[in-house]
Structures are given as structure tokens and as C-alpha cells.
């Protein structure tokens, strides 16, 4: 089956995004929320095959032909299973409750999310769109960074408050039990 014009245009884009993942086709790298995943070789090829036929079934035979040359002698079924399972593991997916890759029994696999295609990486897009009305950030990463800042400031405040309280108690303790002028204790 030949790829339609919109599919060819989409696959010519440098970046592909789905969920928290971004694929850089030029570098053949996959990242999750900006952190690079170790997704190489056949595992990367399976992901690309699923993206290329988004929403359609990629048969086990298609994967076999894509991953191994015709003169290769391996247990294709076991190797396809292993490769798809490695991809699922890297994506944090499961076959029981698939978020990204659905198994179509006795046929193959299907990418169940709609990928987005772009010529700029997600970091650039987030930076450009992170300030909304009144300059308020509306991305999850900005909210998370702000929450971490307030958490850190809160902890520092608690430590300083504890130190001041301890100093005050120490001062009162010393004043209460310090010898009175003249050296008499009553």
C-alpha cells in the first residue's frame, strides 16, 4: 500500500510527537519529556513502522520484512515479540491496557494514539507558548517548576523558623537559669 500525500508530508517532518514522547527523525532519537530514551535499532524501526501506518495494523510479516533481510535465519515470531515488548517497556506501555501499542490478535500491532508532526522540537514550541494571558505560564512543566520552587522556599522557611525558635528558647533558658548578680540562688 502506497503512502498518501498527507502521510508522506507528515513523515517528512523532522519531529513526531505523541503523548510525552518526541521522535527526532534526523537523529533517530526518542525522548520522553525531554529525557532521551535508549531506543535504537530494531526497536526504533518498529516504532517508525507503527507511526508510518498510524491507526492501521502493521502486520507481523511487514515487521519481519522491515527488520530482517530476506536471507536472515532467525525465529521471526519470537524476535518480533521481543522487539515489540522492548518498545512497550521503553514507552511504559503494556499489552493488557495499551496506551500506545495495541496487539491485534493473529495479525499484528497498531499505534492507538494520533501522532503530531512538526519541524521544530517540542521545547521550542513550549517556550513560545508558555506565556499566556497576563504572562501566566500554562504548561505542566512550568507549573511543576513553580511548585518545586514554592516547596523549596517552604522548607527553607521552616528551617529558618526552627533556628529562630531554638535561639529564642535558648536565650530564655539561659536568662532563667543564669546566676543572679551577687552569686545567690533563690
Amino acid at each position: 500500500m502506497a503512502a498518501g500525500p498527507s502521510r508522506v508530508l507528515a513523515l517528512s517532518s523532522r519531529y513526531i510527537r505523541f503523548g510525552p514522547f518526541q521522535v527526532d527523525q534526523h537523529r533517530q532519537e526518542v525522548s520522553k519529556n525531554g529525557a532521551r530514551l535508549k531506543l535504537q535499532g530494531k526497536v526504533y524501526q518498529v516504532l517508525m513502522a507503527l507511526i508510518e501506518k498510524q491507526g492501521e495494523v502493521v502486520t507481523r510479516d511487514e515487521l519481519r520484512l522491515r527488520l530482517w533481510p530476506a536471507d536472515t535465519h532467525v525465529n521471526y515470531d519470537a524476535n518480533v515479540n521481543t522487539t515489540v515488548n522492548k518498545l512497550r517497556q521503553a514507552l511504559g506501555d503494556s499489552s493488557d491496557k495499551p496506551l500506545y501499542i495495541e496487539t491485534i490478535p493473529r495479525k499484528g500491532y497498531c499505534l492507538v494514539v494520533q501522532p503530531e508532526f512538526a519541524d521544530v522540537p517540542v521545547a521550542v514550541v513550549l517556550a513560545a507558548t508558555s506565556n499566556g494571558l497576563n504572562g501566566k505560564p500554562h504548561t505542566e512543566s512550568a507549573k511543576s517548576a513553580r511548585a518545586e520552587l514554592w516547596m523549596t522556599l517552604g522548607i527553607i522557611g521552616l528551617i529558618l523558623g526552627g533556628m529562630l525558635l531554638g535561639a529564642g528558647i535558648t536565650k530564655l533558658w539561659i536568662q532563667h537559669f543564669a546566676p543572679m548578680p551577687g552569686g545567690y540562688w533563690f
Side-chain angles (χ1 to χ4, degrees):
M1 178 175 157
S6 62
R7 185 169 290 161
V8 171
L9 178 62
L11 291 174
S12 67
S13 299
R14 177 170 180 177
Y15 298 98
I16 304 167
R17 291 188 290 271
F18 61 97
F21 301 98
Q22 177 172 269
V23 178
D24 182 339
Q25 292 192 90
H26 292 184
R27 291 184 169 194
Q28 295 188 348
E29 292 177 352
V30 179
S31 58
K32 178 180 181 181
N33 294 324
R36 187 174 170 208
L37 299 178
K38 293 185 179 184
L39 202 72
Q40 300 168 351
K42 296 187 184 334
V43 178
Y44 178 83
Q45 291 176 23
V46 168
L47 176 60
M48 293 310 298
L50 291 166
I51 289 171
E52 287 170 13
K53 289 187 71 177
Q54 53 186 312
E56 298 176 24
V57 176
V58 178
T59 66
R60 297 174 65 77
D61 283 338
E62 288 175 292
L63 290 175
R64 179 182 56 82
L65 292 172
R66 183 173 181 137
L67 300 177
W68 293 281
D71 59 345
T72 304
H73 300 288
V74 297
N75 182 344
Y76 297 115
D77 286 333
N79 282 308
V80 166
N81 289 341
T82 300
T83 306
V84 171
N85 285 334
K86 284 181 181 179
L87 176 58
R88 280 187 171 132
Q89 186 176 21
L91 299 178
D93 203 4
S94 75
S95 57
D96 298 334
K97 295 180 181 176
L99 298 172
Y100 306 107
I101 303 168
E102 181 180 3
T103 300
I104 310 301
R106 294 176 292 285
K107 291 184 181 175
Y109 305 94
C110 179
L111 186 68
V112 294
V113 295
Q114 181 70 35
E116 298 173 10
F117 301 90
D119 291 322
V120 294
V122 71
V124 172
V125 172
L126 286 178
T129 61
S130 65
N131 288 329
L133 295 175
N134 301 324
K136 294 181 181 175
H138 49 81
T139 63
E140 290 302 316
S141 60
K143 289 178 184 176
S144 176
R146 191 175 22 201
E148 287 180 26
L149 173 66
W150 281 111
M151 178 73 78
T152 303
L153 291 174
I155 291 171
I156 290 170
L158 285 173
I159 291 170
L160 289 174
M163 290 172 62
L164 289 172
L165 181 63
I169 290 172
T170 302
K171 183 177 179 183
L172 287 174
W173 185 269
I174 290 171
Q175 287 176 348
H176 181 71
F177 290 106
M180 295 178 76
Y184 297 105
W185 284 85
F186 292 111

